[in-house]
Amino acid sequence: MIAAEMMLAIDPDAPGGPEVLVPVARPIPQPGEGEVLVRVAAAGINRPEILQRQGKYPPPQGAPSILGMEIAGTVVGVGARVNESLLGQPVCALIAGGAYAEYAVAPAGQCLAVPPALTMVEAAAMPETLFTVWSNLFERAWAGPGETVLVHGGTSGIGTMAIALAKLFDLKIIVTAGSDAKCAAARALGADLAINYKTQDFVEEVKAFTGGRGVEIVIDMVGGDYVPRNLQCLAEEGRHVSIAVQGGATATIPLWDVMRRRLTLTGSTLRPRSVEFKSLVADELRRTVWPLVAEGKLKPVIDRTYPFAEAAEAHRRMEAGAHVGKIVLTIWDTL
């Protein structure tokens, strides 16, 4: 039971700049059927939360207006049809909203146990990128050993997680980044090739690296005019997966080229998907990836942590684009 009825949360009344991210008092949520209540130790920062703060990406229907999509903490309450053995357990979870708070509700099926190999900060930086990369690279794009993947935004949370998973699952990985320093950081993390998209033509660099064959998979978060260029990077039977549209939501597609080379174009969004779908992804991660996490073989790259009261600074850092890896808010004791 929670003695207090109120908590601190970041729940802006209106869209705006980072300055609207001020902790305010909100009622502690109560877990419903199939849910747990988590005392949040840390919360990951993600780009969709920037858009939500700006009023450009409202939360899915039924989700809290409180910002944040990934948490790590301790289970302090359970709803109906949830095993009480979860009480007191350290977990991390992907949630539809509510992470920037002292307490958050999470579907039990979307929780993963935090092993001793992870700190709470590290655990909070895992769910969103891990669910996203796994479901798109390995489920939608059917990545297999020995294949080569091109990922844009190589030093983002998504990019650094893609590099780590590629190394663990025997993929070659090419990334793009916006500076020589970021390219060096990506190579240090294990990227086989890092391309500075501001000074190099990534299509030419990909073709040179692959001997003209191209890559089997592109994971694209840019969209817009990157899409036809991405298709030039694909080998025959290649797969193009769109996961964001930071550079534009429309593109001109050379359909004859798609037909001639038998390319597959697909994509997905994760946040609006059902609890049932996300729980299935969590089950697969629990079987295939989490043992590697428990062994200390997979950890997120942490760029910087900020205390809860400095959420505005965390958003400013993400918007500035200087980060390498994940930015995390620390809320309760993270030891």
Side-chain angles (χ1 to χ4, degrees):
M1 296 292 292
I2 304 302
E5 296 181 352
M6 303 296 285
M7 66 177 183
L8 290 177
I10 293 179
D11 186 17
D13 291 327
E19 68 277 359
V20 304
L21 301 181
V22 178
V24 294
R26 290 289 184 266
I28 294 175
Q30 296 304 306
E33 183 174 320
E35 295 179 331
V36 298
L37 178 65
V38 178
R39 185 180 190 260
V40 181
I45 303 288
N46 298 283
R47 194 159 294 278
E49 295 145 22
I50 304 287
L51 298 175
Q52 181 177 333
R53 189 205 75 220
Q54 295 171 340
K56 299 175 182 177
Y57 188 19
Q61 186 174 4
S65 57
I66 297 169
L67 272 70
M69 303 189 301
E70 59 184 348
I71 56 171
T74 303
V75 176
V76 294
V78 297
R81 303 178 69 85
V82 177
N83 194 318
E84 290 191 358
S85 66
L86 282 175
L87 285 169
Q89 296 300 307
V91 299
C92 59
L94 180 70
I95 57 178
Y100 295 11
E102 292 180 313
Y103 294 89
V105 164
Q110 293 171 211
C111 294
L112 295 165
V114 177
L118 288 182
T119 67
M120 281 296 187
V121 165
E122 291 170 332
M126 292 285 281
E128 198 274 340
T129 56
L130 185 55
F131 275 68
T132 298
V133 175
W134 184 266
S135 62
N136 285 288
L137 180 56
F138 293 94
E139 293 180 350
R140 300 201 69 81
W142 329 298
E147 292 191 316
T148 303
V149 56
L150 168 65
V151 177
H152 293 297
T155 54
S156 66
I158 294 290
T160 53
M161 179 59 72
I163 292 171
L165 287 174
K167 297 297 98 182
L168 288 170
F169 289 90
D170 195 26
L171 301 173
K172 287 186 177 180
I173 183 162
I174 303 170
V175 302
T176 63
S179 71
D180 289 344
K182 284 192 171 187
C183 286
R187 287 192 297 271
L189 292 171
D192 296 284
L193 176 67
I195 303 165
N196 184 339
Y197 64 82
K198 292 182 178 179
T199 60
Q200 297 171 286
D201 184 327
F202 71 80
V203 176
E204 291 183 1
E205 296 298 324
V206 166
K207 288 184 175 179
F209 182 81
T210 61
R213 181 180 53 82
V215 299
E216 282 79 16
I217 302 163
V218 174
I219 302 293
D220 178 47
M221 60 185 79
V222 182
D225 61 6
Y226 262 48
V227 177
R229 297 174 68 197
N230 290 339
L231 298 188
Q232 294 179 51
C233 295
L234 284 175
E236 290 193 359
E237 309 279 356
R239 291 89 75 191
H240 183 283
V241 186
S242 297
I243 63 170
V245 288
Q246 295 174 14
T250 60
T252 300
I253 305 298
L255 290 177
W256 174 246
D257 197 40
V258 172
M259 295 159 59
R260 180 178 60 84
R261 296 196 289 130
R262 303 171 302 285
L263 306 179
T264 297
L265 277 67
T266 184
S268 73
T269 55
L270 184 59
R271 193 180 187 192
R273 298 296 295 273
S274 69
V275 170
E276 291 76 17
F277 171 80
K278 293 174 187 174
S279 296
L280 286 173
V281 176
D283 284 340
E284 188 169 349
L285 291 171
R286 202 173 286 114
R287 293 192 309 270
T288 58
V289 178
W290 220 240
L292 300 170
V293 175
E295 293 172 17
K297 294 179 179 178
L298 177 63
K299 286 178 177 281
V301 176
I302 304 299
D303 175 79
R304 190 171 295 184
T305 63
Y306 290 86
F308 190 37
E310 296 179 16
E313 290 305 313
H315 271 222
R316 289 187 181 100
R317 180 159 179 83
M318 177 163 277
E319 288 184 277
H323 60 291
V324 175
K326 293 286 293 192
I327 301 168
V328 178
L329 286 183
T330 56
I331 299 173
W332 288 99
D333 183 4
T334 59
L335 295 179

